Amino acid sequence: AVWARLSALIGSSDGKRFRNAAQEMTLDVLLQHANAHLHDLARRYRLDRIPGTLGLQVVDRDMGDEVRSVHSLSGGESFLVSLALALGLASLSSQRLKVESLFIDEGFGSLDADTLRVAMDALDILQGQGRKVGVISHVAEMTERIPVQIRVSRQAAGKSRVTVTRA
């Protein structure tokens, strides 16, 4: 009877039910961290786990808490949600180990001027908290906000030139 109750709670010997429950709990904690960052990036949205799965959905606060697929987000909205998830993952992992660096590769080109400002403000806050933020981008407007820049220029014969500038 004890084993039957234990099996009902955590599953069979293959561990699938227990593994799924642990993954769902971990995802829920990640979403708490991500939503805290998303609140600063795009207050309109909140991320939720699709009940009974590991899938994600978006709650659109501006549309009366309408539940939407993450696939319905625009390019800029998807970037902000992805950034919130990355920041949430860094927050989640920093409970056990210190995550001091974050690198973001592209995505900024899909943002309008206001959303770009919001994203850059969030990165400035992270930098102010002592984290090093590396941004890989071709967006010219960002150069005004980034004090230390590493530029890679293509040269002849397959070589590159690296220059470091400080504002």
Side-chain angles (χ1 to χ4, degrees), residues 5-156:
R5 286 182 57 210
L6 190 58
S7 178
L9 290 173
I10 63 172
S12 62
S13 63
D14 68 359
K16 183 177 181 183
R17 185 180 295 164
F18 179 74
R19 183 176 57 246
N20 287 348
Q23 289 172 338
E24 288 176 359
M25 289 180 359
T26 302
L27 182 57
D28 289 342
V29 174
L30 169 62
L31 290 177
Q32 288 176 0
H33 290 286
N35 281 325
H37 292 288
L38 191 56
H39 186 272
D40 295 331
L41 294 170
R43 290 182 185 205
R44 176 178 180 174
Y45 301 113
R46 183 183 78 236
L47 287 169
D48 282 342
R49 182 171 52 85
I50 298 171
T53 73
L54 296 174
L56 298 180
Q57 60 190 10
V58 176
V59 176
D60 190 332
R61 292 178 174 148
D62 285 1
M63 299 300 287
D65 288 345
E66 176 185 337
V67 176
R68 296 174 41 191
S69 165
V70 293
H71 303 293
S72 70
L73 297 172
S74 70
E77 293 166 333
S78 293
F79 176 77
L80 292 177
V81 166
S82 296
L83 179 58
L85 281 167
L87 296 173
L89 188 58
S91 297
L92 179 67
S93 65
S94 68
Q95 292 177 351
R96 294 202 173 131
L97 60 102
K98 191 168 183 178
V99 177
E100 295 180 349
S101 301
L102 175 68
F103 286 88
I104 301 172
D105 186 5
E106 284 304 331
F108 292 95
S110 62
L111 304 179
D112 61 48
D114 288 336
T115 308
L116 178 62
R117 181 188 48 73
V118 169
M120 292 299 295
D121 288 346
L123 297 178
D124 285 344
I125 290 169
L126 285 176
Q127 186 176 4
Q129 295 171 348
R131 291 194 173 149
K132 293 166 185 59
V133 180
V135 176
I136 301 166
S137 183
H138 296 75
V139 177
E141 293 84 11
M142 294 179 68
T143 59
E144 300 168 5
R145 297 273 308 258
I146 300 174
V148 178
Q149 299 176 19
I150 301 170
R151 295 179 185 260
V152 180
S153 305
R154 186 184 327 218
Q155 304 294 304

